[in-house]
Each structure stands twice: as structure tokens, then as C-alpha cells.
Amino acid sequence: MVKVINNAVCRGVAGKRIGNVKGVVIHNDAGAIGATVESYVKRLESMTNKQLENGFAHYYIDRNTVARVEDTYNKAWHTANQDGNANYIGYEVCQSLGVSDKDFLANEQATFKQVAEDLKFYGLKANRDTVRLHREFVATACPHRSWELHGKSINSVKDYFIAQINKYMGVTTPKPPAAIKPPAKPKPPVKPQEIKRVAEKGTFYPNTAVAIKHTPTIKAKQEATLGKGESVIYDSYVKSDGYVWVSYIRNNGKRGYACSRDIKTGKAFGTFK
Ligand SMILES: [Zn+2]
């Protein structure tokens, strides 16, 4: 459970902010090894105004304690820069010396959580304009340990801070869109092999029993038989599956095919008139 200390021990000594908060500066304290947040609060509380001029931030934070030592509507002397002091809220991530990476990263996380809360309060988003490093304002190694841990460049450290703060602001960094698959082209329906009928009128008189089908193939179901002595008046024929089939509309209204000639041998199964 994180302890919260809300005690403006710095008494507004740097004056009231004029205008809007521009953003936040996340520092590394580089203080006494392992100094606790409570010890910072005590020390600042005992300082004279003159001593406070040496510098203080609005917040001192580690993984166990969040202390606000100055109201955020007041300035703080945390950047050695007029713009930084007047317009940005300062956060000291404590114990940047003398604790494990794990503990220091946890101290950072507690800080990001507080930063997220304040940015929300001031209606700001976390981005490279609002999340700043001390070293952007003046020549300093601050934030020295975050710098070592998060890429050693202004933007890599800031982008890490921003992503972590966004986590607490409920902002998810949009992932690059997955490669968009073009919609599958609808395949044309597989047409039954087109049967190319050739128009030709005539009468077929089989001299043997021949098959009548609705599809002119050997495998197709045989619908009927046309026997010797019978005939059909056809309107067309088709060459299919090794045979010539004469074609006509059957009494049931469907197109029928009567097997009439073996293409290979040329042998007809009847006569045509
Ligand atoms: Zn700093």
C-alpha cells in the first residue's frame, strides 16, 4: 500500500504559477543513498526559504510513498530554468542511487501513476511536449538512472515515460494495424462444364436400346431408354464423353440426351433422318 503525504512544506516559496501547466518534468533525485521520501519531507520542512532556492520539486516519490511537498498550482525550483520552474510540475523519482533496478523501476512506476493523475487533472495528454526531461532545460545528467535504463537518448527515455504514463491514463498505444488482407474475391461459381450443343434438326431412329440422360456423360444417371422401333425428334446434338448425343426436350420438360454414336469408331446406334 502506497503511503500518500500531502503536505505543502515548501510553502509556495517559488510563487504562484501564472497560466496553464505545460507538462511535467520527471527527475532522478541523485540524493543520499537510499534516502526515503519521509526523510526528504522532513529535510525540506526544516529548510529556510534561502535553502529551498537550492532546489525542490513538487513531488518526492518511491515505491512506498508519494509525497507532494508543494501545491501544483505553485511554481517549484526544480529545473534551474525559468520556463521549467514556472510551467512544469516536477517529480523526483527517489533512490536513483543505491537501490536495485527492480526497486528503482518500481519507484518510477509509482511516479508515472502520479503523473498520469496530474496530467488528467490538468487536461493534458502524455506526449513529447508535455513529458520533459531536466536535461532538456539545462546541462545536467538528470534523470541519470532512467537515462541508463531506457535507451540513453532524449526521445527513447521520453517515449518510455510516455508509454508507462499512458498505461495509467488508460491510453493504449495503438498497435500498427495488421496487414490488411484484401477481401477474398468471390470465386465464380463452378459452372457445370458447358455443354456446347450444335443446332441441327432431325429424327433419330435407334437400332438398339440407347440411354437417355439429362447430362450427356457416361456417369450421369440414365433417365430412360430409347428402344429399337422408337424415335426422337431432336433439335441439336452434342459431342461429349466419347459419344455424340442427340438432344431434345423430353415430355417432362427437361432437356434430354440420347446416345447416338460412338465418336472413336464412328459407329451410329441408329439412323438419322
Ligand atoms: Zn532533475
Side-chain angles (χ1 to χ4, degrees):
M1 189 67 192
V2 174
K3 185 179 171 188
V4 177
I5 300 170
N6 193 4
N7 188 356
V9 295
C10 296
R11 318 177 286 275
V13 67
K16 263 200 161 33
R17 176 177 303 101
I18 297 157
N20 297 326
V21 172
K22 286 187 187 170
V24 300
V25 179
I26 297 171
H27 303 266
N28 287 181
D29 69 338
I33 287 178
T36 63
V37 167
E38 272 102 340
S39 70
Y40 273 108
V41 177
K42 273 190 189 144
R43 216 150 50 97
L44 291 164
E45 195 170 19
S46 69
M47 282 183 184
T48 63
N49 288 4
K50 190 75 190 160
Q51 286 171 311
L52 285 170
E53 280 180 21
N54 290 327
F56 67 94
H58 294 88
Y59 286 93
Y60 291 77
I61 299 173
D62 66 24
R63 61 204 173 282
N64 302 310
T65 313
V66 173
R68 182 164 59 203
V69 298
E70 183 57 281
D71 291 317
T72 58
Y73 52 79
N74 286 329
K75 300 176 189 178
W77 290 317
H78 62 106
T79 63
N81 171 277
Q82 206 265 327
D83 178 40
N85 292 345
N87 302 311
Y88 293 82
I89 302 171
Y91 303 77
E92 289 288 354
V93 182
C94 294
Q95 301 165 356
S96 66
L97 297 172
V99 297
S100 67
D101 281 351
K102 182 171 172 268
D103 284 348
F104 180 73
L105 289 167
N107 294 353
E108 280 188 340
Q109 289 297 321
T111 305
F112 300 142
K113 201 173 174 189
Q114 183 62 50
V115 169
E117 211 173 278
D118 293 337
L119 287 176
K120 263 190 187 171
F121 180 80
Y122 284 104
L124 295 170
K125 287 179 176 158
N127 56 45
R128 287 180 180 178
D129 296 326
T130 58
V131 176
R132 305 293 301 275
L133 306 184
H134 193 173
R135 62 200 297 156
E136 291 184 274
F137 293 94
V138 292
T140 171
C142 181
H144 71 103
R145 191 161 185 183
S146 299
W147 184 265
E148 292 297 320
L149 289 169
H150 308 307
K152 300 181 186 180
S153 80
I154 299 268
N155 281 340
S156 69
V157 175
K158 282 168 60 144
D159 288 349
Y160 175 81
F161 286 176
I162 291 161
Q164 299 301 308
I165 293 161
N166 275 337
K167 216 171 58 181
Y168 294 108
M169 293 182 86
V171 177
T172 47
T173 311
K175 285 179 185 162
I180 295 163
K181 273 188 187 170
K185 274 187 189 168
K187 285 180 185 167
V190 178
K191 282 183 190 168
Q193 199 178 4
E194 224 161 291
I195 295 156
K196 284 183 182 166
R197 284 184 296 114
V198 178
E200 184 184 282
K201 281 183 182 168
T203 307
F204 173 52
Y205 300 89
N207 55 20
T208 179
V210 300
I212 294 170
K213 303 192 176 195
H214 288 153
T215 306
T217 62
I218 293 162
K219 275 191 181 172
K221 185 188 168 202
Q222 183 169 334
E223 303 290 338
T225 304
L226 188 65
K228 189 176 176 181
E230 294 179 297
S231 66
V232 291
I233 296 167
Y234 58 89
D235 58 19
S236 54
Y237 71 89
V238 63
K239 289 179 180 175
S240 168
D241 217 2
Y243 294 89
V244 176
W245 309 71
V246 292
S247 184
Y248 62 101
I249 301 298
R250 299 184 65 213
N251 291 335
N252 66 6
K254 290 184 176 176
R255 180 159 289 279
Y257 297 86
C259 193
S260 63
R261 187 189 295 274
D262 184 327
I263 292 171
K264 216 174 182 180
T265 62
K267 187 189 169 203
F269 306 127
T271 55
F272 308 87
K273 283 180 183 168

